[in-house]
Amino acid sequence: MNKQYQFWFCVGSQDLYGEECLRNVAEHAQAMVKEINDSGDLPFPLVYKPILITAEMIHRTFKEAGEDDTCAGVITWMHTFSPAKSWIKGLQANTKPLMHLHTQFNEAIPYDDIDMDFMNENQSAHGGREYGHIVSRMGLARKVIAGHWRNEGVRRRIASWMRTAVGIVESSRLRVMRVADNMRNVAVTEGDKVEAQLKFGWEVDAWPVTELAHAVAAVSASDTNALVDEYYDTYDIILDGRDKDEFRRHVAVQAQIELGFERFLKEKNYHAIVTHFDDLGTLQQLPGLAIQRLMSKGYGFGAEGDWKTAAMVRLMKLMTADIKNAKGTSMLEDYTYHLVPGQEGILQAHMLEICPSLASGKPAIRCQPLTMGNREDPARLVFTSKTGPGVAVSLIDLGTRFRLIVAGVDCLANEKPMPKLPVATVFWKPQPDFTTGVEAWILAGGAHHTAFSYDLTVEQMVDWAEHMGIEALVIDQHTTLRTFKQEILLGNAVYR
Ligand code: MN
């Protein structure tokens, strides 16, 4: 689903140390790129760029990176000292996510042989500080990763930042289709779409539900039947006592919606969609199974007109694309609490639309009544979800600015089955504990809708927000309410 992204590996030096030193710097950089690429540790390849020794070269390289659509980020490393004024023009021209890899070719000090030539050639400790100074003085967002380039943890962090960088570059081309407006009277799903385009690059457009309904009606019976066959092959069927032909007709309505919506989204070039149960036009059912399938194909989704969540789900899908053994990414909603002492947690669900990528086993299709939407009983996928840590984010509009709330959560197995609940669920315990996590979320103004992923971390989402120039409030195992309240006050002063 992603482009064939690459990351440019740009090494800084200068001509003060002579030809031999520069040759060594280039050899080292090329050897590192080759070894790291061959390791398969990174999700995207590094591309070696000629050693940067003058302001003109640095400027030209950043400009070329900006013009190259396959370049998702620039990774910089100061092998030797590189006077940082020569980086100013280039950094001013930079439009790509930036990383400062603060590493050194040699892991160990060669105690027996070390001389001044070695020191001059291997002075990242020195040159990296000069470079870091100018990036800080210019106030540019960048990721700093320090450590030896062969270290597993360092590579893991580079790999994880690469996915953040994809979230940053993809943000600028994200297009959200709004089918109907926000749910009446709801505050947190509202927001400034112009500001979102300025800040994140998102294009958020409204389309009449009648046009989508026409696209759905235009889907042929044979295409619909083929997709229903696929559903029956892929998922379990829980009839709940319904007639099996009547059940299949209900399922077919969702298959037709999936195909019609997907064709319309593709034709109009949108990557995320919102629906609203109060504005369904001639659609026979609230899109349930159809939306769940679209999410599993990588589309973003937000319910009740929540375009901010739809956009975040889409971005997080892109950030996690092609992860081996990915555990899943979806929109979720805080629904019901379990408040039994020692077992506290939040049951996450929605009326229908949870992405089956979260499922721990084979999802099943059920058709159950739904008062919301005032249409026939919608078919939906039900399942319980995987266990383990994940990250839940909520992007809110505070009127004058956006805030991203980023929460670490621990998903647990359901204590008992819930046979009468006809929706997919996740049960999680907020970090650092139920009381602190929930109280911090409320104080931060976090929404009831979240974009959630098992496959991303708090660090990745915070880095994304930092690059976008918005506040990120973190609720994780280090959170205490006293410092969290201070962070809110600090954010109010800093972000205006
Ligand atoms: Mn909702």
Side-chain angles (χ1 to χ4, degrees):
M1 146 167 109
N2 276 337
K3 289 192 169 180
Q4 289 308 302
Y5 282 122
Q6 302 177 328
F7 287 78
W8 287 20
F9 193 64
C10 297
V11 181
S13 188
Q14 63 172 331
D15 54 11
L16 205 66
Y17 310 114
E19 280 303 309
E20 195 192 333
C21 173
L22 282 176
R23 242 190 336 268
N24 289 344
V25 168
E27 268 173 31
H28 291 166
Q30 283 168 296
M32 286 163 65
V33 166
K34 183 172 186 329
E35 187 178 320
I36 293 173
N37 283 342
D38 290 350
S39 74
D41 288 343
L42 304 185
F44 303 96
L46 297 174
V47 179
Y48 168 80
K49 289 288 156 183
I51 303 303
L52 301 174
I53 50 176
T54 64
E56 288 68 33
M57 272 185 82
I58 294 168
H59 183 230
R60 189 169 0 109
T61 302
F62 275 110
K63 272 204 325 196
E64 284 169 7
E67 283 156 14
D68 186 340
D69 279 347
T70 66
C71 173
V74 177
I75 298 177
T76 48
W77 168 44
M78 304 306 118
H79 190 307
T80 67
F81 193 73
S82 175
K85 286 186 192 171
S86 45
W87 285 81
I88 292 174
K89 204 173 165 193
L91 288 169
Q92 282 171 335
N94 180 40
T95 59
K96 299 288 177 170
L98 182 66
M99 182 202 288
H100 177 187
L101 180 60
H102 191 56
T103 190
Q104 178 172 288
F105 188 68
N106 285 59
E107 187 176 36
I109 294 176
Y111 289 109
D112 296 337
D113 303 317
I114 188 166
D115 56 14
M116 279 319 288
D117 283 345
F118 181 91
M119 296 266 272
N120 284 330
E121 195 174 293
N122 297 279
Q123 52 173 325
S124 193
H126 186 70
R129 281 170 167 72
E130 166 76 357
Y131 171 72
H133 165 75
I134 202 66
V135 186
S136 288
R137 175 159 172 172
M138 292 170 74
L140 301 174
R142 89 289 208 187
K143 183 72 177 174
V144 180
I145 294 181
H148 193 247
W149 57 280
R150 279 203 180 104
N151 179 282
E152 231 180 274
V154 167
R155 290 201 185 169
R156 218 176 9 248
R157 291 182 71 207
I158 299 171
S160 130
W161 175 80
M162 281 180 161
R163 295 191 172 280
T164 303
V166 166
I168 293 164
V169 295
E170 285 285 350
S171 189
S172 63
R173 54 177 78 107
L174 179 64
R175 301 181 79 230
V176 184
M177 178 178 284
R178 295 172 67 230
V179 183
D181 205 340
N182 287 357
M183 182 178 166
R184 282 187 281 279
N185 283 320
V186 175
V188 81
T189 48
E190 283 285 4
D192 183 337
K193 298 185 285 295
V194 180
E195 191 61 21
Q197 189 158 1
L198 287 168
K199 215 75 190 172
F200 312 122
W202 303 346
E203 192 178 319
V204 185
D205 299 324
W207 287 82
V209 70
T210 44
E211 288 202 36
L212 277 109
H214 282 145
V216 170
V219 175
S220 71
S222 62
D223 286 354
T224 302
N225 281 330
L227 186 57
V228 173
D229 287 341
E230 187 188 323
Y231 290 170
Y232 275 65
D233 288 342
T234 312
Y235 310 115
D236 288 332
I237 303 295
I238 300 176
L239 289 175
D240 292 314
R242 299 180 92 106
D243 173 75
K244 70 179 187 354
D245 295 326
E246 183 253 0
F247 186 94
R248 194 182 158 99
R249 278 197 299 277
H250 276 248
V251 174
V253 169
Q254 293 286 337
Q256 200 180 13
I257 295 173
E258 177 186 335
L259 289 167
F261 274 30
E262 189 173 19
R263 287 172 191 173
F264 197 77
L265 286 163
K266 278 192 177 147
E267 186 193 313
K268 309 291 183 195
N269 189 30
Y270 287 91
H271 316 109
I273 186 167
V274 304
T275 57
H276 176 196
F277 59 82
D278 259 341
D279 198 346
L280 293 173
T282 55
L283 293 176
Q284 285 171 261
Q285 298 174 13
L286 176 61
L289 174 52
I291 288 292
Q292 293 177 292
R293 294 267 308 179
L294 289 175
M295 255 194 284
S296 71
K297 289 175 177 174
Y299 288 96
F301 173 73
E304 294 101 45
D306 187 350
W307 52 269
K308 299 196 297 304
T309 298
M312 290 311 299
V313 169
R314 165 65 177 177
L315 283 181
M316 289 163 77
K317 294 253 175 205
L318 290 171
M319 289 165 76
T320 56
D322 309 320
I323 289 183
K324 221 182 277 171
N325 304 318
K327 291 172 74 176
T329 300
S330 180
M331 174 195 139
L332 285 173
E333 179 170 88
D334 296 284
Y335 233 114
T336 301
Y337 287 134
H338 191 55
L339 293 173
V340 175
Q343 304 165 23
E344 295 93 339
I346 314 171
L347 188 66
Q348 304 288 320
H350 204 257
M351 293 182 300
L352 305 169
E353 316 91 332
I354 308 296
C355 179
S357 62
L358 307 187
S360 62
K362 195 176 182 182
I365 303 178
R366 292 177 74 174
C367 290
Q368 286 283 324
L370 183 72
T371 50
M372 240 84 79
N374 195 24
R375 292 290 187 281
E376 64 181 42
D377 302 353
R380 81 289 304 270
L381 288 171
V382 298
F383 51 86
T384 53
S385 299
K386 301 179 185 84
T387 57
V391 63
V393 307
S394 169
L395 181 67
I396 59 168
D397 186 336
L398 293 170
T400 51
R401 62 189 181 89
F402 289 107
R403 166 186 286 164
L404 189 72
I405 299 141
V406 184
V409 299
D410 294 300
C411 303
L412 307 173
N414 285 342
E415 202 182 325
K416 285 180 178 178
M418 297 171 279
K420 290 185 177 169
L421 188 69
V423 289
T425 59
V426 183
F427 183 81
W428 76 43
K429 194 179 257 307
Q431 293 176 4
D433 56 74
F434 178 85
T435 307
T436 310
V438 169
E439 289 181 10
W441 187 273
I442 300 285
L443 288 169
H448 49 275
H449 287 169
T450 58
F452 165 82
S453 181
Y454 291 107
D455 306 308
L456 293 169
T457 61
V458 166
E459 182 177 347
Q460 285 172 302
M461 300 315 297
V462 169
D463 287 347
W464 181 85
E466 185 184 337
H467 191 95
M468 294 295 155
I470 64 163
E471 179 190 25
L473 278 176
V474 172
I475 306 169
D476 67 359
Q477 62 269 28
H478 306 296
T479 298
T480 65
L481 281 170
R482 192 188 296 172
T483 54
F484 191 73
K485 285 182 185 177
Q486 286 166 353
E487 284 165 24
I488 292 174
L489 288 175
L490 192 64
N492 287 341
V494 171
Y495 299 91
R496 287 171 173 278

